[in-house]
Amino acid sequence: MARTPSNMLPLGTKAPDFSLLDTLSGSVLELDQLKGEKGTVVLFICNHCPFVIHVNPILVTLANIYQEKGINFIAISSNDVENYPQDAPELMTKVAKEENYPFPYLYDETQEVAKAYDAACTPDLYLFDQNLALVYRGQLDDSRPQNGIPLTGQDLKAAMDALLSGVAITAVQKPSLGCNIKWK
């Protein structure tokens, strides 16, 4: 597994708009339809990455907790499905159902959305405020596959809690680490 860090998009960046196929509903959904009242987490993930498989349980737990508090989650897969068929949309649907994703799992076929977000790896995480300005980008926590550190989601959780409380989120943020996005 390749260990690729996220690119750390500048804080304050406005979330790029998108219209993408939701592999769960079969509908094309837009950012404006999906954003949360108090914040929005955009996740670049895929089906086969060991880093994503490792964090799936905490992503589902956090989404279930924070969506009730007004922070919506949106997952996007941008991998090249020609060379990585395990990430094809029909398999995205299967994985989302198996993992009980409580959020849409969107397919970025052209990879333009990943490029607009400067996404580099899976998982790549972004937290935007109610105005869709970037307030956090970085790791979920220090846990990685096989490093023995418990999966808590503490870094993203702390950022979401600060956002909900109106407290400043620290600008010192560790990049996410995962498999590189499989570019065409």
Side-chain angles (χ1 to χ4, degrees):
M1 61 186 151
R3 296 174 65 86
T4 301
S6 54
N7 287 327
M8 304 301 278
L9 191 65
L11 294 173
T13 299
K14 175 119 167 84
D17 286 328
F18 57 75
S19 294
L20 295 172
L21 173 68
D22 175 24
T23 60
L24 284 164
S25 69
S27 301
V28 173
L29 301 176
E30 298 179 1
L31 175 59
D32 257 6
Q33 294 172 275
L34 299 172
K35 69 181 181 181
E37 180 185 331
K38 297 181 180 175
T40 305
V41 174
V42 176
L43 313 162
F44 285 87
I45 64 173
C46 70
N47 296 340
H48 82 278
C49 171
F51 291 89
V52 174
I53 292 167
H54 178 70
V55 302
N56 268 332
I58 198 69
L59 291 177
V60 169
T61 298
L62 291 175
N64 281 321
I65 293 167
Y66 285 88
Q67 288 184 150
E68 289 184 11
K69 296 178 181 187
I71 297 178
N72 282 355
F73 280 56
I74 304 164
I76 301 171
S77 179
S78 301
N79 278 359
D80 171 13
V81 299
E82 188 173 311
N83 291 307
Y84 297 86
Q86 63 269 47
D87 290 328
E90 60 275 6
L91 296 176
M92 291 170 60
T93 305
K94 182 178 183 258
V95 166
K97 288 179 179 177
E98 288 171 354
E99 296 292 335
N100 293 311
Y101 284 171
F103 43 76
Y105 193 13
L106 310 177
Y107 177 47
D108 177 20
E109 182 177 9
T110 66
Q111 302 182 319
E112 291 304 313
V113 176
K115 290 174 185 170
Y117 280 78
D118 201 20
C121 61
T122 55
D124 219 343
L125 315 171
Y126 303 84
L127 172 61
F128 297 91
D129 68 13
Q130 69 276 11
N131 299 315
L132 293 174
L134 184 65
V135 294
Y136 179 81
R137 76 289 191 243
Q139 70 175 10
L140 191 61
D141 59 30
D142 289 321
S143 183
R144 305 289 184 264
Q146 303 162 350
N147 76 355
I149 297 173
L151 188 61
T152 63
Q154 70 185 16
D155 290 31
L156 178 60
K157 186 176 183 288
M160 291 187 295
D161 287 342
L163 178 63
L164 291 170
S165 299
V167 176
I169 299 169
T170 179
V172 179
Q173 300 172 4
K174 295 180 187 175
S176 186
L177 186 70
C179 298
N180 62 301
I181 290 181
K182 309 306 184 219
W183 301 106
K184 293 179 183 180

